[in-house]
Amino acid sequence: MVKKVRAVERVFDKLDKEIRSFQNSTSLHCLSGCGACCKKPDIEATILEFLPFAYHLFKEGQAMETYEKLRNDPSSICMAFSPFQVGSDAGFCGEYPYRGLICRLFGFSAVRNKYGEAQLLTCRKIKEDQAEAYEESKERIRMGMAVPFTQEHYLRLYAIDPDLSRKFYPINIAITKALEEVLKYYSYRRRAV
């Protein structure tokens, strides 16, 4: 379990560096006080991308409590969304260091369209409020500027565990299933973490 968690964290660390580099090169950034992407009820994620979060909760003695809370709360808004968090680089994420791959990628990554061209994945607010930087970034990407590609990072997770990274679930269900994986694993082992 720990090896798998550390492998996912290495993917995240590499991605975070790529995104910082991309942001520094383009000056694109999330808008302060926005959180619009966190409020979307249709965010989907894999189990594996939330395994580090589930493991963190387990180490902190909060896994079972969080698991029960998620099982009894039908909300489709991410459980880590914290709308009253103020003055933080983490925006509205109450678990920012443990956010999933989807949370890391959105806004500052690209996908290839049917013609093989890179298309920047970002939100309407960034496109509108940072229109000049957005258009310049699109052109620079077209000319070959490095940008994190969504599919590459999902393939990296797939290489760690194909079963836990294959299927996408609504975000709270993905977190619940990640907690189930960790709780199941440690229910048959000593608590050494």
Side-chain angles (χ1 to χ4, degrees):
M1 178 64 61
V2 175
K3 283 183 179 180
K4 202 174 290 190
V5 167
R6 297 296 177 243
V8 173
E9 290 173 339
R10 283 191 298 276
V11 170
F12 288 173
D13 289 343
K14 182 178 179 352
L15 173 60
D16 290 347
K17 288 174 187 165
E18 290 177 24
I19 288 173
R20 275 192 303 277
S21 176
F22 177 74
Q23 287 176 308
N24 290 336
S25 296
T26 63
S27 76
L28 290 175
H29 57 278
C30 287
L31 305 171
S32 180
C34 178
C37 57
C38 298
K39 297 173 197 168
K40 289 179 55 75
D42 59 347
I43 298 170
E44 290 191 335
T46 66
I47 297 168
L48 188 59
E49 65 192 279
F50 280 100
L51 207 60
F53 179 45
Y55 180 69
H56 162 72
L57 290 171
F58 179 78
K59 287 192 320 184
E60 297 296 313
Q62 300 171 1
M64 188 52 88
E65 176 187 338
T66 304
Y67 177 76
E68 291 300 327
K69 178 183 167 198
L70 284 166
R71 285 184 39 100
N72 294 316
D73 182 4
S75 175
S76 57
I77 304 297
C78 179
M79 58 86 56
F81 178 63
S82 182
F84 303 110
Q85 185 168 306
V86 179
S88 167
D89 290 340
F92 295 108
C93 184
E95 299 294 343
Y96 192 76
Y98 303 102
R99 68 199 186 285
L101 185 60
I102 185 65
C103 310
R104 294 166 194 272
L105 286 167
F106 186 70
F108 308 103
S109 66
V111 294
R112 296 215 181 269
N113 66 18
K114 64 182 180 180
Y115 305 108
E117 302 163 334
Q119 291 189 298
L120 184 59
L121 289 179
T122 196
C123 71
R124 180 182 49 81
K125 291 186 180 222
I126 288 176
K127 289 177 185 176
E128 292 172 358
D129 291 358
Q130 301 168 54
E132 190 175 321
Y134 171 69
E135 291 300 326
E136 183 181 314
S137 298
K138 282 185 2 183
E139 180 60 24
R140 291 179 63 200
I141 290 169
R142 192 181 72 70
M143 299 302 287
M145 180 179 76
V147 61
F149 278 93
T150 301
Q151 185 179 12
E152 288 176 18
H153 290 83
Y154 276 106
L155 286 173
R156 287 181 180 135
L157 288 187
Y158 185 83
I160 295 167
D161 187 320
D163 293 331
L164 296 181
S165 62
R166 182 174 298 145
K167 189 167 181 189
F168 287 78
Y169 300 91
I171 195 162
N172 285 338
I173 293 174
I175 295 169
T176 302
K177 290 183 174 293
L179 284 163
E180 286 172 353
E181 288 292 322
V182 171
L183 289 166
K184 180 175 59 176
Y185 180 85
Y186 284 107
S187 69
Y188 298 107
R189 288 163 181 82
R190 292 187 340 187
R191 184 157 157 78
V193 290

